[in-house]
Amino acid sequence: MANKYPKPNDPADNKKRLNKTISNMEAAEDAMKFAEGEEFQQIQKKNERRAESIEALKEEITEEDKSRINGYL
């Protein structure tokens, strides 16, 4: 039986994940120049989700930095 537990959140990966998400969003914006119709809309929706994820990651990184400064991590 496969392990069904979620992976623990590793705060060390957040900056790497943030950079990768930004890079993916930029690549998708370039792809949108050549997309039409449904494909364009799918890319646009995915980039909206990426934008939300970027904001959440930035907030999480900021909170972790504050915790580290205050000695919680």
Side-chain angles (χ1 to χ4, degrees):
M1 179 178 245
N3 185 357
K4 300 236 178 197
Y5 298 105
K7 293 181 182 179
N9 184 15
D10 184 2
D13 289 345
N14 286 342
K15 290 181 182 176
K16 182 178 176 182
R17 289 176 40 218
L18 175 63
N19 289 333
K20 184 175 180 178
T21 303
I22 291 170
S23 176
N24 288 343
M25 187 173 187
E26 290 169 350
E29 287 172 354
D30 288 340
M32 284 174 66
K33 296 175 187 173
F34 305 103
E36 295 179 351
E38 187 176 330
E39 182 182 16
F40 180 87
Q41 290 178 358
Q42 288 175 347
I43 294 171
Q44 193 173 32
K45 287 179 184 179
K46 192 158 189 172
N47 267 1
E48 288 172 6
R49 292 190 301 271
R50 284 182 176 125
E52 292 172 4
S53 180
I54 288 169
E55 290 305 313
L57 280 169
K58 285 180 179 179
E59 186 175 318
E60 187 172 340
I61 290 168
T62 301
E63 291 299 319
E64 288 168 356
D65 288 344
K66 286 179 186 176
S67 293
R68 197 169 295 112
I69 289 168
N70 293 328
Y72 293 117
L73 293 177

